[in-house]
Amino acid sequence: MTTPAAHGHPANPAQANAADPGQVPTQPCNHVTPVPQGPAAPHPPQTAEPGSALIGLRSALVLVLGILVGTGAGVLTYLAQHNTATAVLAGGAAFAGSVLFFHNIIAS
């Protein structure tokens, strides 16, 4: 580690003035004294308590209703047109729309 005197100026400006009262250090001292810190404590991993639900009751209800509506729309579309791709697209659109709908109307 280098000392401030190795950079051409003393660590304490008072010492420079005591040695030579007419001389002022020409360079400011930009040394930063490291602050000792303790070891960084990692945050413990947040784990779910045993027996706790993966998702909330409201979320489960909204998703189940969305699945029911999407399945119903897909089945009805297939029965009407006998086209699997159209039925899947209709079911997916109905699922997305119903999840947004039930999310907005079921109280938080």
Side-chain angles (χ1 to χ4, degrees), residues 58-59 61-63 65 96-108:
R58 179 179 177 273
S59 298
L61 180 64
V62 167
L63 291 175
L65 290 172
S98 64
V99 166
L100 289 174
F101 175 73
F102 290 123
H103 172 70
N104 286 329
I105 66 167
I106 295 176
S108 296

Side-chain angles (χ1 to χ4, degrees), residues 9 22 25 33 40 67:
H9 59 278
T33 306
I67 290 170

Side-chain angles (χ1 to χ4, degrees), residues 5-93:
H7 292 287
H9 59 278
N12 188 355
Q15 291 174 347
N17 291 340
D20 188 9
Q23 183 180 8
V24 178
T26 57
Q27 296 178 338
C29 183
N30 293 329
H31 297 282
V32 177
T33 306
V35 178
Q37 297 178 355
H43 295 290
Q46 296 181 1
T47 58
E49 297 176 8
S52 66
L54 182 62
I55 61 173
L57 180 62
R58 179 179 177 273
S59 298
L61 180 64
V62 167
L63 291 175
V64 166
L65 290 172
I67 290 170
L68 290 174
V69 169
T71 302
V75 167
L76 289 175
T77 303
Y78 182 77
L79 291 175
Q81 297 188 0
H82 297 290
N83 187 348
T84 307
T86 304
V88 169
L89 288 174

